[in-house]
Amino acid sequence: MNVSVVSMIALAGSILAVPVLVVTATYFLWPAALIKTYNWCNRWRRGLKVRCVFWGDYRFCYSQRGVPGPSPSLLLLHGFSANKDMWLPIMKFLPERQHVVSVDMPGHEGSSRTGPEDYSIQGQVNRIHQFVQAVGLDRQPFHLVGSSMGGNVAGVYAAQHPDHLAALTLICPAGTDHPQDSGFVRLLKEMKERGEVKPEEVPLIPYTSQQMEDMLRLCCHSNVTLPRQILKGLLASRLPNNDFYSQVLLEITSEQSVRSLQDSLHLITAPLQVIWGKDDQVIDMSGASVLQEAHPACQVALLERCGHAVMLDRPRKAAQLLTDFLSAQEVHTKKRC
């Protein structure tokens, strides 16, 4: 074989080996970076672009796909200790022309981290209102979607800014009285009765790989079995934020926040949809009955084989429910016109 040909083959092999070595090294040495890369690739595949916008000196970080059109925009509010990427699993099932905005909640991921005044439910509502104005979502009614803590915030926002909304979807929302408490809520209540909420004992604030795995099992119905390195990567991305998460938890479970949605239900006028996993171990699905009692016309979907993390357990079904609900509201609006 010609020496030049051999050299070319060797060079090609070396070039191909580089990315393999990089990925392998990243997997074993920096698994958190691998997860960030995966999310970046996933956003790119779904046509999402990350943007930042300021309100004064406060920075909001968000993902966006598409531009506002005749159909109401979707604004997605994630839950406690999550971020805008929480919604990635449902993106591929939403219509490509749908304008979608997913924002990092106050203090989470890329949004500014300030102090307790912004982490209570009302504080977060105030900040989200600023974000809505900053990106111009208030120019026409939009569809607001919130999950868990984000559901509490979304409900209170809907009560305080009814003219901004075309529709409201609450997914396993916190903030109401429940006929039945989940084991997680009972644990928090027991801690409060003892006079101290210890972050290291809260299942949603993991400090070890085992606790990380336990948290995923708590939130998901589907059997979560991840390689140890991936668990380490997930944990590594959270550990630096655990003090912040502890602070947020104290604020959203305080007396002024824990019933915020409950106290606002009578002021919600937007068409309401409720989605809940029947196997939710974080917030018991009996909360759906409270919402339906307050709003008999609301549409309630209780999902089989689904836990608290609806976007992970049933992403296709969640996207379908959101799309169908919004389409129904558009049809209803046209008929009235």
Side-chain angles (χ1 to χ4, degrees):
M1 184 180 293
N2 190 296
V3 175
S4 62
V5 175
V6 174
S7 300
M8 289 295 292
I9 293 174
L11 178 61
S14 299
I15 293 172
L16 291 173
V18 170
V20 174
L21 289 173
V22 170
V23 171
T24 302
T26 303
Y27 178 79
F28 286 104
L29 300 177
W30 307 288
L34 190 63
I35 291 169
K36 287 189 176 182
T37 302
Y38 170 80
N39 285 336
W40 181 90
C41 292
N42 212 354
R43 287 194 298 267
W44 177 77
R45 289 175 59 200
R46 307 300 169 214
L48 287 160
K49 296 180 180 179
V50 175
R51 296 282 186 266
C52 286
V53 66
F54 285 83
W55 184 269
D57 60 356
Y58 192 93
R59 181 188 67 227
F60 294 98
C61 186
Y62 64 102
S63 294
Q64 178 174 248
R65 185 181 74 185
V67 295
S71 177
S73 300
L74 270 178
L75 174 58
L76 310 175
L77 308 183
H78 65 74
F80 168 74
S81 78
N83 58 54
K84 59 187 174 298
D85 292 332
M86 183 192 84
W87 301 97
L88 285 175
I90 75 167
M91 290 297 180
K92 68 178 179 179
F93 301 115
L94 293 173
E96 291 185 3
R97 295 182 180 178
Q98 175 69 57
H99 180 225
V100 184
V101 178
S102 173
V103 63
D104 285 328
M105 299 295 281
H108 290 71
E109 194 74 8
S111 290
S112 292
R113 191 165 291 182
T114 50
E117 67 278 1
D118 283 334
Y119 306 149
S120 68
I121 296 302
Q122 185 57 56
Q124 294 191 61
V125 169
N126 294 340
R127 286 299 186 187
I128 293 302
H129 181 48
Q130 292 172 355
F131 173 74
V132 165
Q133 296 173 87
V135 297
L137 279 173
D138 57 338
R139 293 170 190 161
Q140 62 183 43
F142 60 91
H143 185 175
L144 181 59
V145 182
S147 174
S148 195
M149 176 192 78
N152 194 348
V153 174
V156 178
Y157 184 98
Q160 296 180 5
H161 305 284
D163 294 341
H164 287 178
L165 299 191
L168 172 67
T169 296
L170 303 180
I171 303 176
C172 307
T176 65
D177 293 327
H178 290 68
Q180 296 180 7
D181 282 337
S182 65
F184 173 74
V185 170
R186 285 197 299 271
L187 174 63
L188 288 181
K189 288 183 175 180
E190 289 170 5
M191 287 184 179
K192 282 187 174 183
E193 289 173 1
R194 296 201 305 261
E196 184 180 10
V197 177
K198 297 182 178 180
E200 63 273 14
E201 295 180 7
V202 176
L204 295 183
I205 307 179
Y207 283 83
T208 66
S209 294
Q210 184 58 57
Q211 290 175 339
M212 185 74 231
E213 189 171 23
D214 293 341
M215 187 194 81
L216 292 174
R217 287 176 177 164
L218 175 70
C219 294
C220 301
H221 168 73
S222 52
N223 185 26
V224 178
T225 304
L226 296 176
R228 186 59 53 181
Q229 286 301 113
I230 299 301
L231 284 173
K232 287 182 179 180
L234 291 171
L235 180 66
S237 65
R238 294 176 60 93
L239 279 176
N241 302 305
N242 275 356
D243 288 344
F244 162 70
Y245 296 150
S246 301
Q247 191 176 34
V248 173
L249 184 69
L250 290 176
E251 291 300 320
I252 64 177
T253 58
S254 67
E255 291 301 319
Q256 65 175 348
S257 292
V258 73
R259 295 182 77 258
S260 294
L261 177 56
Q262 181 82 36
D263 295 339
S264 301
L265 287 177
H266 65 290
L267 297 174
I268 296 175
T269 57
L272 175 61
Q273 177 186 45
V274 177
I275 302 173
W276 221 302
K278 284 189 174 183
D279 301 295
D280 192 339
Q281 300 179 75
V282 178
I283 305 176
D284 193 83
M285 72 167 185
S286 61
S289 63
V290 176
L291 295 167
Q292 192 161 41
E293 183 177 347
H295 290 268
C298 77
Q299 295 185 20
V300 177
L302 303 179
L303 305 186
E304 302 281 354
R305 307 180 309 282
C306 186
H308 190 67
V310 174
M311 283 62 65
L312 293 177
D313 281 333
R314 302 292 301 277
R316 184 190 296 271
K317 183 63 176 178
Q320 177 191 339
L321 288 168
L322 286 173
T323 302
D324 291 349
F325 181 62
L326 189 54
S327 296
Q329 303 314 312
E330 289 184 272
V331 170
H332 182 66
T333 300
K334 289 178 181 178
K335 285 183 178 179
R336 285 190 302 174
C337 293

